[in-house]
């Protein structure tokens, strides 16, 4: 198994987490060494059972980080390159991998080459870096789309990715990867892998053919939004058939690559605001028992709430500032925090789950049992969304409960109201 097969990520949006200013610091202002605050959370990450720190944007930008103006400079609101290097070193000492967020589909208007185009027009040596119509990204006027048909843009992106891999990071999340031509990504990923064959490259893809995208671009994985939606939607609607359909498709993806799985990230409404409190454990059980490379969005382990709104500032509620110390966080040491530790620990003890296929056994609107297996390894999972006890079938085995609460027999389980359990043969 390669190292990404053992990865469980703790995902942080640094600008929000550290309480940074909403806009770039004025020229001449001293950097604010806020990345150091994340060092105080590394032991929490490890104590949770994670071994990867997936950072949102850390590069110089105009506002929210996704309007990058300099991919080679740490955002002064977060500190300096030395601060980032110290965080990388502190993480490495704990066996924690680092993933950076690369925004290479578009840039902020203050990006040096675009500023040169704005000043010189057709005379700018960077004019070919941008489309003839200087198009913007998905209606965001401040985000200018790069021209990915220009070889110099591929050279630039390859250089940025290699630069930070040389400084100790372990991989990249490629923002808005779905909006970039696959041939561009293939050119870049092939070049990067010449020097860094073990780097993990994750593409942000929301809709479409995930398998084809991975094959055409050379990335290792994509964000599994299809499963994310099926998890919370099936729990809300009392419709496990939706989840079963998504898991069947998920099995097909695992034949080609290992998807990145999640129930929360910096772009979506918090899971604790998506589903009722009694169904939060069900969502986590599903995430941590099916195949994939899972991530936990910082704060979800404390059952943070937050609703994403489609307006300016609409991400603020899902990207809050955190206390300096984990123990000062509401929900620290609480039931949901402890459940994360329990289930992540279970996954750690069964590392084969990263490539496990799911087989449905009992399927109704509100009762589900499935097995997950890889080679000779196998676990069983039972879920009951209802207010009454439920019965579920399982393949014949000497099932022993290892998490949750259910009474197992050789060929089934009795599940309490709104209960769940995991068993091994």
């Amino acid at each position: 198994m390669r190292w990404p097969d053992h990865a469980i990520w703790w995902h942080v949006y640094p600008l929000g987490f550290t309480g940074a200013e909403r806009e770039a610091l004025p020229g001449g202002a001293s950097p604010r060494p806020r990345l150091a605050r994340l060092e105080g959370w590394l032991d929490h990450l490890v104590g949770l059972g994670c071994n990867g720190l997936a950072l949102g944007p850390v590069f110089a930008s105009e506002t929210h980080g996704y309007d990058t103006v300099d991919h080679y400079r740490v955002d002064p609101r977060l500190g300096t390159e030395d601060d980032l290097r110290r965080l990388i070193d502190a993480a490495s000492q704990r066996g924690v991998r680092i993933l950076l967020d690369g925004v290479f589909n578009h840039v902020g208007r203050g990006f040096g080459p675009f500023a040169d185009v704005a000043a010189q027009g057709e005379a700018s040596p960077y004019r070919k870096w941008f489309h003839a119509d200087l198009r913007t990204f998905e209606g965001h006027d401040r985000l200018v789309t790069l021209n990915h048909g220009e070889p110099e843009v591929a050279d630039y992106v390859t250089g940025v990715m290699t630069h930070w891999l040389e400084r100790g990071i372990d991989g990249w999340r490629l923002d808005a990867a779905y909006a970039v031509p696959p041939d561009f990504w293939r050119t870049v990923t092939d070049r990067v892998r010449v020097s860094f064959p073990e780097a993990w490259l994750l593409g942000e893809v929301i809709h479409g053919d995930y398998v084809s995208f991975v094959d055409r671009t050379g990335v290792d994985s994509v964000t599994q939004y299809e499963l994310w939606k099926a998890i919370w939607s099936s729990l809300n609607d009392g419709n496990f058939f939706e989840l079963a359909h998504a898991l069947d498709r998920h099995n097909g993806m695992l034949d080609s690559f290992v998807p990145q799985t999640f129930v929360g990230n910096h772009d979506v409404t918090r899971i604790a605001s998506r589903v009722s409190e009694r169904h939060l454990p069900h969502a986590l059980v599903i995430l941590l028992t099916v195949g994939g490379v899972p991530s936990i969005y910082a704060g979800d382990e404390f059952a943070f709430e937050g609703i994403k709104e489609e307006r300016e500032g609409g991400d603020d509620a899902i990207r809050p500032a955190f206390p300096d110390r984990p123990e000062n966080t509401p929900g620290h040491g609480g039931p949901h925090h402890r459940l994360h530790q329990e289930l992540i620990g279970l996954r750690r003890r069964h590392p084969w789950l990263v490539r496990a296929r799911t087989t449905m056994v009992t399927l109704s609107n509100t009762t589900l049992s499935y097995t997950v297996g890889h080679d000779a390894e196998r676990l069983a999972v039972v879920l009951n969304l209802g207010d009454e006890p439920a019965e579920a079938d399982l393949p014949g085995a000497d099932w022993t409960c290892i998490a949750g609460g259910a009474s197992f027999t050789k060929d089934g389980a009795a599940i309490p109201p709104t209960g769940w359990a995991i068993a091994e043969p």
Side-chain angles (χ1 to χ4, degrees), residues 230-279:
I231 291 174
W232 61 259
S233 180
S234 65
L235 297 179
N236 279 345
D237 296 346
N239 178 17
F240 271 138
F241 290 92
E242 178 183 2
L243 178 62
H245 176 73
L247 286 172
D248 182 59
R249 288 176 55 81
H250 191 68
N251 284 341
M253 295 173 202
L254 286 160
D255 291 336
S256 300
F257 73 99
V258 180
Q260 192 266 317
T261 54
F262 58 95
V263 293
N265 66 30
H266 69 294
D267 275 332
V268 300
T269 290
R270 291 270 183 181
I271 188 66
S273 293
R274 281 282 191 191
V275 304
S276 67
E277 183 177 355
R278 66 180 186 167
H279 292 327

Side-chain angles (χ1 to χ4, degrees), residues 32-102:
R32 315 284 198 259
R34 291 190 173 96
L35 284 175
R37 290 184 56 191
L38 282 168
E39 293 183 36
W41 282 80
L42 290 174
D43 289 339
H44 167 78
L45 178 162
V46 173
L48 200 60
C50 298
N51 62 349
L53 175 60
L55 292 171
V58 298
F59 303 124
S61 73
E62 295 175 340
T63 56
H64 45 61
Y66 290 97
D67 46 2
T68 314
V69 297
D70 189 344
H71 298 85
Y72 287 100
R73 182 165 60 96
V74 171
D75 196 304
R77 291 173 290 172
L78 297 173
T80 64
E81 180 173 334
D82 286 342
D83 295 312
L84 179 57
R85 292 288 296 274
R86 278 191 288 270
L87 177 60
I88 293 170
D89 290 344
S92 179
Q93 291 168 10
R94 295 166 171 81
V96 174
R97 303 276 184 167
I98 296 286
L99 188 74
L100 290 188
D101 202 341

Side-chain angles (χ1 to χ4, degrees), residues 351-374:
W352 53 267
L353 280 168
V354 68
R355 297 182 183 275
R357 271 59 167 185
T358 307
T359 302
M360 298 295 141
V361 184
T362 294
L363 176 59
S364 73
N365 284 336
T366 59
T367 304
L368 181 65
S369 67
Y370 59 85
T371 59
V372 285
H374 181 66

Side-chain angles (χ1 to χ4, degrees), residues 186-377:
R186 173 60 73 176
T187 297
V188 170
T189 59
D190 283 353
R191 292 179 182 177
V192 169
R193 292 195 192 283
V194 171
S195 299
F196 297 95
E198 293 301 309
W200 191 61
L201 305 179
L202 166 68
E204 182 196 15
V205 181
I206 301 174
H207 307 294
D209 187 340
Y210 294 169
V211 172
S212 174
F213 185 90
V214 170
D215 181 61
R216 295 173 64 192
T217 62
V219 300
D220 295 288
S221 185
V222 297
T223 49
Q224 226 296 33
Y225 270 94
E226 185 177 311
L227 180 60
W228 161 78
K229 193 269 181 183
I231 291 174
W232 61 259
S233 180
S234 65
L235 297 179
N236 279 345
D237 296 346
N239 178 17
F240 271 138
F241 290 92
E242 178 183 2
L243 178 62
H245 176 73
L247 286 172
D248 182 59
R249 288 176 55 81
H250 191 68
N251 284 341
M253 295 173 202
L254 286 160
D255 291 336
S256 300
F257 73 99
V258 180
Q260 192 266 317
T261 54
F262 58 95
V263 293
N265 66 30
H266 69 294
D267 275 332
V268 300
T269 290
R270 291 270 183 181
I271 188 66
S273 293
R274 281 282 191 191
V275 304
S276 67
E277 183 177 355
R278 66 180 186 167
H279 292 327
L280 275 178
H282 297 115
L284 191 63
V285 168
I286 296 164
L287 173 66
L288 292 173
T289 58
V290 302
V293 177
S295 67
I296 306 298
Y297 183 45
D300 281 356
E301 70 270 36
F302 306 129
F304 275 17
E305 297 181 350
I307 296 174
K308 178 183 174 70
E309 299 179 10
E310 297 301 328
R311 60 173 178 80
E312 186 175 353
D315 294 316
D316 292 354
I318 61 175
R319 303 173 178 179
F322 279 61
D324 287 339
R325 302 180 61 83
E327 57 268 29
N328 295 333
T329 309
H332 184 272
H336 204 53
H337 182 190
R338 294 195 300 272
L339 181 61
H340 272 74
Q341 292 175 312
E342 177 185 4
L343 293 178
I344 294 173
L346 184 149
R347 193 174 181 96
R348 283 258 164 262
R349 294 190 295 276
H350 300 84
W352 53 267
L353 280 168
V354 68
R355 297 182 183 275
R357 271 59 167 185
T358 307
T359 302
M360 298 295 141
V361 184
T362 294
L363 176 59
S364 73
N365 284 336
T366 59
T367 304
L368 181 65
S369 67
Y370 59 85
T371 59
V372 285
H374 181 66
D375 294 335
E377 305 286 356

